[in-house]
């Protein structure tokens, strides 16, 4: 897995992640290179707004808007933000996105981001839970 920083703001961080994925369609050990944009966000309402903004959009190959393939959140989020999490689940359902809750994903995400950040920025980096 390799990553490249695409965007950083006060509220979001975007990485281009390239990984090898087993195709195994023909029964051999072929691998395909898969590129994914991984967007990490600070605020659960932002994520909900992004999902709501994609509702009823035609996300074909010619579209300039990237569809959401998956949503990964820290496992602490449902208990920490129950009302906002309920809204997030509704928005995810409207665009056929499954939410995966993963233990300590915020720590893993921070590790991935730190590879692209200057040492002086470590202390001021927000916590990306979404």
């Amino acid at each position: 897995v390799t990553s490249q920083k695409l965007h950083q703001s006060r509220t979001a961080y975007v990485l281009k992640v390239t990984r090898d994925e087993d195709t195994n369609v023909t029964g051999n050990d072929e691998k395909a290179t898969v590129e994914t944009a991984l967007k990490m966000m600070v605020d659960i309402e932002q994520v909900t707004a992004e999902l709501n903004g994609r509702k009823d959009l035609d996300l074909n190959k010619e579209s300039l808007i990237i569809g959401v393939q998956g949503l990964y959140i820290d496992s602490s989020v449902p208990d920490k933000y129950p009302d906002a999490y309920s809204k997030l689940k509704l928005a995810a359902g409207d665009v056929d996105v499954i939410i995966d809750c993963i233990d300590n994903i915020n720590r893993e995400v921070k590790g991935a981001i730190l590879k692209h950040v200057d040492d002086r920025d470590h202390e001021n980096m927000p916590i990306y839970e979404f």
Side-chain angles (χ1 to χ4, degrees):
V1 176
T2 61
S3 60
Q4 171 189 357
K5 180 174 114 176
L6 296 178
H7 170 76
Q8 178 181 3
S9 70
R10 186 179 51 80
T11 59
Y13 199 98
V14 182
L15 288 174
K16 174 183 167 184
V17 179
T18 305
R19 60 185 164 76
D20 290 332
E21 188 173 275
D22 291 328
T23 57
N24 205 9
V25 174
T26 60
N28 57 21
D29 292 330
E30 292 180 15
K31 294 197 181 286
T33 300
V34 178
E35 292 183 336
T36 304
L38 180 61
K39 184 172 189 175
M40 287 121 334
M41 301 182 85
V42 174
D43 191 323
I44 193 169
E45 281 85 11
Q46 291 173 289
V47 181
T48 303
E50 290 239 354
L51 293 173
N52 286 333
R54 283 168 169 74
K55 187 177 175 182
D56 301 325
L57 290 179
D58 180 16
L59 300 176
N60 59 38
K61 287 191 175 201
E62 288 78 37
S63 176
L64 297 176
I65 299 170
I66 298 172
V68 177
Q69 302 299 311
L71 181 56
Y72 306 94
I73 63 173
D74 195 83
S75 58
S76 66
V77 168
D79 291 333
K80 209 170 171 182
Y81 311 101
D83 294 338
Y85 180 66
S86 294
K87 292 176 187 174
L88 180 66
K89 286 194 315 187
L90 289 173
D94 286 343
V95 291
D96 296 324
V97 171
I98 295 172
I99 300 174
D100 286 323
C101 295
I102 299 172
D103 291 337
N104 300 312
I105 194 171
N106 52 358
R107 190 178 320 145
E108 291 182 38
V109 165
K110 184 174 183 177
I113 293 172
L114 288 177
K115 294 177 185 176
H116 303 282
V117 178
D118 293 335
D119 288 338
R120 64 182 182 277
D121 293 332
H122 288 198
E123 300 154 9
N124 300 323
M125 187 169 51
I127 296 173
Y128 299 97
E129 293 181 295
F130 316 97

